[in-house]
Amino acid sequence: MELLSRNDFKKLTDVLYRRTGIAIDEKRYNLLYKKIENYITKKEYRNFREYFHDIRFNKSDSPIFQDLINIVTINETYFYREKHHFEILVNEALYELDKIRPASEPFRILCSPSSTGEEPYSIVLHLLSEAKLVEKRDIEIVGIDIDSTVIQKAQKGVYSKRSIDFLPKNILDEYFTKTGPLTYQIADFLTDVVDFRVVNVMDKMAMQRLGKFDVIFSRNMLIYFDDASKKEVAMTFHSLLKPKGFVFLGHAESMNRVVSVFQTKRFGKHIVYQKI
Ligand SMILES: C[S@@+](CC[C@H](N)C(=O)[O-])C[C@H]1O[C@@H](n2cnc3c(N)ncnc32)[C@H](O)[C@@H]1O
């Protein structure tokens, strides 16, 4: 028996879009319907209507809605992805901010979204080689994602061979322990450095509670958002940034078309957004 028609899928993705900003293309029906059907069966719903009733009338932070999010999100990430961003951050952007921030203020960096943690940990690994910065001031790193399973993985810090493929060997040897034929555990002191939380970037109140930041990394999430959601998120980032703070986006992403509250700044051939 078919539990999830294309029409049902559309109803589900409409709710998802309204609550999270994630716009799911109808083309993903073929990839997702089996996973959602399996979930509906496992939870012993008799049909889609019963399931959808629970989705609609439960809050966005209910376990059933969280499970749907965890099924549909695309969490692809790996260490040192678009490595030039980490180099710009530790060799240039933070030094620029250092000149204009009171010496007693910590630097605060937000990874939104962090997925399974490779991105915030890549930032920490780059900072470790910039002793001048780290010795001078405290640096706080917060990683958020809407998917609770990826946040649990990030907190554990256990990675597959695929995740660590682009790590230099000396970094791998120094900060990771091989725990299985294809698994690597990141050093405990590194998992303590990043504060991971489950947060929906569209939830303005939850975002404001994170505090103010000097730098926001938001790579490879906005590509799944339409212009209206992109604009909302861009304005939230703007309100979270301290003056002259930076936003790093993925290479396929841009905010210029939807907002004009950032100026683009070039570091070599790469573009970073700066709060005006
Ligand atoms: C492809 S990963 C990108 C991870 C990392 N930034 C990178 O570039 O390697 C996209 C992540 O965005 C998260 N995401 C999607 N919508 C979100 C939302 N509304 N709030 C927070 N995270 C979201 C997904 O759960 C997923 O883990």
Side-chain angles (χ1 to χ4, degrees), residues 152-271:
Q152 279 162 15
K153 284 188 187 154
Q155 285 163 334
K156 287 197 183 110
V158 177
Y159 293 102
S160 67
K161 169 90 178 57
R162 195 158 167 266
S163 273
I164 54 95
D165 253 359
F166 292 99
L167 273 178
K169 183 164 179 335
N170 65 318
I171 299 285
L172 188 64
D173 290 347
E174 194 167 344
Y175 299 109
F176 291 76
T177 311
K178 200 160 191 270
T179 49
L182 295 170
T183 50
Y184 301 79
Q185 165 77 58
I186 200 165
D188 281 352
F189 84 92
L190 291 174
T191 53
D192 290 343
V193 171
V194 187
D195 175 8
F196 287 106
R197 305 190 200 175
V198 181
V199 176
N200 176 359
V201 79
M202 298 293 282
D203 180 343
K204 293 194 182 76
M205 301 273 278
M207 291 297 282
Q208 295 303 332
R209 280 198 291 272
L210 298 173
K212 296 283 180 196
F213 291 91
D214 297 283
V215 176
I216 297 176
F217 267 61
S218 184
R219 306 186 312 162
N220 305 302
M221 174 184 72
L222 293 181
I223 32 170
Y224 303 109
F225 286 18
D226 66 4
D227 281 357
S229 311
K230 249 185 230 166
K231 185 172 177 180
E232 270 192 51
V233 175
M235 292 313 292
T236 300
F237 288 165
H238 187 263
S239 69
L240 252 56
L241 277 176
K242 296 185 203 167
K244 300 279 176 196
F246 292 104
V247 179
F248 288 74
L249 299 182
H251 72 274
E253 297 165 317
S254 157
M255 295 191 293
N256 276 349
R257 210 159 41 87
V258 289
V259 291
S260 50
V261 291
F262 293 98
Q263 64 187 7
T264 47
K265 186 169 168 97
R266 279 192 170 275
F267 289 101
K269 57 181 171 34
H270 304 291
I271 283 176

Side-chain angles (χ1 to χ4, degrees), residues 47-61:
N47 50 42
F48 174 76
R49 238 157 43 100
E50 264 187 10
Y51 168 65
F52 190 58
H53 179 275
D54 271 7
I55 287 284
R56 257 206 317 189
F57 295 104
N58 273 301
K59 288 216 229 98
S60 297
D61 58 359

Side-chain angles (χ1 to χ4, degrees), residues 19-22 69-70 72-79 81-82 111-120 144-148 150 198-203 207 217-225 233 250 253:
R19 293 190 190 172
T20 69
I22 305 173
I69 288 169
N70 297 355
V72 303
T73 51
I74 296 173
N75 313 115
E76 161 75 7
T77 186
Y78 48 88
F79 283 93
R81 181 180 199 178
E82 295 189 64
C111 279
S112 164
S114 68
S115 186
T116 35
E118 287 88 330
E119 183 179 277
I144 64 156
D145 202 286
I146 197 170
D147 182 333
S148 58
V150 294
V198 181
V199 176
N200 176 359
V201 79
M202 298 293 282
D203 180 343
M207 291 297 282
F217 267 61
S218 184
R219 306 186 312 162
N220 305 302
M221 174 184 72
L222 293 181
I223 32 170
Y224 303 109
F225 286 18
V233 175
E253 297 165 317

